Amino acid sequence: AQSVTQPDIHITVSEGASLELRCNYSYGATPYLFWYVQSPGQGLQLLLKYFSGDTLVQGIKGFEAEFKRSQSSFNLRKPSVHWSDAAEYFCAVVSSNDYKLSFGAGTTVTVRA
Amino acid sequence: SAVISQKPSRDICQRGTSLTIQCQVDSQVTMMFWYRQQPGQSLTLIATANQGSEATYESGFVIDKFPISRPNLTFSTLTVSNMSPEDSSIYLCSVVPLQNTGELFFGEGSRLTVL
């Protein structure tokens, strides 16, 4: 069965500083991986996805993520955070044959001025 | 892409009542799913809504509690039956468009509070 671990429950970062959110997955085959963001009171918005090919993927809002098969990781990064990046971030893996998403527990990002 | 409309966006319900949530998509989709997000928690898959047949439920979820309908390729409903405060959650509809790029789209969610 597929699963996702997000080791960091809460991260606080200063505005303008870099951000990295960790994600480790467990999946037997080549995974489809996603990062979603959920702002307070909002739905889920897709930041980026990895299916195959280039292991460094670019997403919206200046985010990028790197797929490392050897480490079973798909960490999310942003070079310089903005106050509007304060939100809940979810890493997810999906089975390519049934599209059932398994989500990590989420990481709450707080941005301080 | 797919634009998903969920109704109601939020509601306050009394214990013991039932509420039906609607999910309407602006285009035909292959797969539709219902997720639950309990307060402060991540998302958990409730079931896959199958067109014209019974939904496929995940472990821990049963049809009597969460009956689901999907009469066509663009619409589904989820009913939360005989509600208790533990059912207070955000319920989200998710779809895979017919032109499948592997991406799943989510509705804004329906936030239910059960008193």
Side-chain angles (χ1 to χ4, degrees):
Chain A
Q2 64 212 39
S3 65
V4 175
T5 302
Q6 292 180 247
D8 305 304
I9 297 173
H10 192 186
I11 288 179
T12 299
V13 61
S14 298
E15 191 169 15
S18 64
L19 173 69
E20 181 168 12
L21 304 182
R22 295 183 291 166
C23 172
N24 294 98
Y25 68 90
S26 173
Y27 184 65
T30 300
Y32 287 5
L33 294 159
F34 304 83
W35 275 100
Y36 287 91
V37 61
Q38 186 178 40
S39 299
Q42 302 296 311
L44 284 173
Q45 182 180 23
L46 180 68
L47 286 175
L48 48 77
K49 60 182 184 282
Y50 172 79
F51 293 157
S52 63
D54 194 346
T55 56
L56 184 63
V57 295
Q58 302 297 321
I60 63 171
K61 304 185 178 185
F63 284 92
E64 66 177 26
E66 186 171 12
F67 170 64
K68 292 185 177 180
R69 184 187 299 276
S70 61
Q71 299 177 17
S72 297
S73 69
F74 189 56
N75 295 347
L76 182 71
R77 297 192 292 258
K78 185 169 184 177
S80 177
V81 300
H82 186 262
W83 64 266
S84 61
D85 293 322
E88 186 83 11
Y89 292 80
F90 294 98
C91 182
V93 63
V94 70
S95 166
S96 59
N97 60 350
D98 63 15
Y99 290 93
K100 295 180 180 180
L101 276 167
S102 294
F103 285 86
T107 298
T108 301
V109 173
T110 299
V111 180
R112 59 180 176 225
Chain B
S1 66
V3 177
I4 303 169
S5 172
Q6 275 190 240
K7 293 182 181 178
S9 58
R10 60 178 62 233
D11 206 341
I12 299 174
C13 309
Q14 296 299 316
R15 182 195 299 261
T17 64
S18 299
L19 181 79
T20 296
I21 302 167
Q22 298 181 356
C23 176
Q24 178 72 57
V25 192
D26 69 341
S27 58
Q28 292 185 336
V29 299
T30 57
M31 307 186 78
M32 297 183 81
F33 304 93
W34 287 98
Y35 287 83
R36 180 177 71 181
Q37 186 178 24
Q38 295 176 298
Q41 302 296 313
S42 186
L43 287 84
T44 301
L45 179 63
I46 297 172
T48 304
N50 301 310
Q51 186 196 355
S53 64
E54 191 172 290
T56 305
Y57 290 85
E58 298 300 307
S59 176
F61 298 96
V62 295
I63 188 171
D64 290 345
K65 177 67 176 177
F66 298 102
I68 289 171
S69 77
R70 188 183 171 190
N72 56 49
L73 291 178
T74 64
F75 185 77
S76 177
T77 66
L78 167 74
T79 299
V80 186
S81 302
N82 188 25
M83 286 185 285
S84 67
E86 292 72 34
D87 295 319
S88 298
S89 297
I90 301 173
Y91 293 87
L92 298 103
C93 173
S94 175
V95 304
V96 177
L98 210 56
Q99 291 183 315
N100 188 1
T101 60
E103 181 176 344
L104 290 90
F105 294 85
F106 282 84
E108 292 289 315
S110 299
R111 183 183 295 270
L112 301 188
T113 301
V114 185
L115 303 178

